[in-house]
Amino acid sequence: MRVRIAVDALGGDREPAEIVAGALAAVAAEVRPIIYGPADLDTHGLEHVVTDGMVEMDDKPADAVRNKQGSSLVRAVRAVGDGHADAVVSAGNTGAVLAASLLHVRRLPGVFRPGIAVVIPTAHGPCVLIDAGATADAKPEHLLQFGHMGSIFAQEVLGIARPRVSLLSIGEEPEKGNQLTLEAHALLAASSLRFAGNTEGRALLEGETDVIVCDGFTGNVALKTLEGTVRSLLIALRAEIVETTRGKVGGFLIRPAAARLRTRLDPETTGGGYLLGLRGLVVIAHGSSSRFAIENAVRMAARGIDHDVVGRMREALPERVVESARSSNPSGTTRG
C-alpha cells in the first residue's frame, strides 16, 4: 500500500507552489502525497483536498485552530486523526500544528506533553534532540518523558542498542542549571534510562550522547543557533575560497568533501522533526522550507510510517514513566 501523506500547502514562508513542488518530488511507488490547499492551487496532478483559509505564523495557536477549522493546516492534521491520511507534514505555525494535533490526533495514553524530536548529525552518528519547540514551559516530569520517548526513538528507529541520554544544561556538573534542570536531573538519574548526566551546548555536534533532553524553548534556541552557525560558516568558507586564485584551486580540490559536509549538516536534508507522543504521525518542517526540504519531510513521514514510530512508541513507552512523573509531585497529583 502507498503511504498517504497529507501536506499543508499554505504552511511556511514560501509560496504554495514551492510546497507542491517538494511534495511532487517525493512521489514514489510507496509514497502518495495529498495536497491540502485552496481551490485555485495547481497541484500538477497530485490529489487535492480543497481548503478554506490559512493559519498565519503570528496567529495565536488555540484561536487559529478553533476559528480556522477549514484551513489547510487544521484540515491536514485532522486527516490523520480521521484516518484519511497516514501522516501529515506542515511547515506552518508550530504552535497551531501542536494545538491541532492535540485536538484531532490526540496524545498517547500517559503522555503529558508531545515533544519534537530532531535528528542531529554528529561526528559519531545521529543524535536525537527532544524537545525542539513543542513545550516551551516544561516541567521536570515532562523532561523525564522526553528522555524515554527520545530513547525509544533512538533505539527503535536509529538502531542504537542502549542509547545514552543527556540533559542540556549550562555545565556538566549535576548542580549546574536552573530549577527545571536540577529537578529534571534528579528524575532522569533515578530512572531506568542510561542517563549520562548533563551536556553543554558546545557538545551538540560532538556525538558524546545519543539523546539530548531539554525544554522546547531551550531546544528551539539551541537548534536554530546551531543551524545559523553552520550556515554562516559555510557562507564564509565559500567567500574565502573565491577570494584568491590559490583559494579557488584549493576549493576545487576540496569541493567533493565540502559538498558532503554541507549535505550532512544542512537541516533541509532532514526535512523536519517528528512530534512524538501522539496517536498519529506528525512531521513539523522548518518555516523557511524549500521544495528540497519539503521533499525530505514527506519522505521522513513515509519512513516514520514504515518504521511504525507511533506503534513502537505506544508499545515501548512504559507505565513506569507515568508513575515516575507522579512521584515527582509531593501532592500525589499529576502536574501535566
Side-chain angles (χ1 to χ4, degrees), residues 36-213:
Y36 283 72
D40 60 353
L41 181 62
D42 183 2
T43 64
H44 298 279
L46 292 178
E47 184 176 344
H48 183 193
V49 175
V50 177
T51 60
D52 179 22
M54 69 176 290
V55 175
E56 304 287 351
M57 286 296 186
D58 58 354
D59 281 345
K60 292 184 178 179
D63 292 343
V65 172
R66 182 171 54 252
N67 300 326
K68 298 183 177 181
Q69 297 184 33
S71 64
S72 59
L73 186 154
V74 176
R75 290 284 303 279
V77 172
R78 195 171 70 200
V80 176
D82 292 343
H84 298 148
D86 301 302
V88 58
V89 170
S90 177
N93 184 316
T94 299
V97 175
L98 174 61
S101 298
L102 290 173
L103 179 63
H104 296 295
V105 182
R106 296 181 299 159
R107 291 173 290 181
L108 286 170
V111 171
F112 297 146
R113 295 288 188 276
I116 300 175
V118 175
V119 178
I120 298 176
T122 76
H124 300 290
C127 170
V128 180
L129 184 144
I130 182 172
D131 173 30
T135 305
D137 297 315
K139 296 180 174 65
E141 55 265 34
H142 299 158
L143 268 61
L144 173 63
Q145 285 197 340
F146 293 160
H148 279 279
M149 289 192 288
S151 181
I152 292 166
F153 181 84
Q155 185 171 357
E156 299 290 344
V157 179
L158 300 182
I160 302 173
R162 295 187 63 235
R164 298 161 296 175
V165 178
S166 297
L167 178 65
L168 186 59
S169 188
I170 59 173
E172 296 181 354
E173 298 83 1
E175 62 273 11
K176 290 289 183 69
N178 57 15
Q179 193 61 34
L180 172 63
T181 54
L182 292 174
E183 293 184 26
H185 187 284
L187 287 179
L188 289 163
S191 73
S192 60
L193 293 167
R194 187 185 175 190
F195 184 52
N198 290 347
T199 189
E200 298 182 73
R202 63 185 176 184
L204 287 177
L205 292 179
E206 295 180 4
E208 296 178 348
T209 190
D210 304 304
V211 178
I212 298 173
V213 174

Side-chain angles (χ1 to χ4, degrees), residues 312-335:
R312 294 185 179 193
M313 198 66 58
R314 181 187 293 110
E315 293 174 2
L317 192 61
E319 179 65 23
R320 55 188 162 80
V321 178
V322 181
E323 295 304 322
S324 296
R326 286 173 178 159
S327 68
S328 71
N329 184 3
S331 67
T333 58
T334 299
R335 297 195 301 172

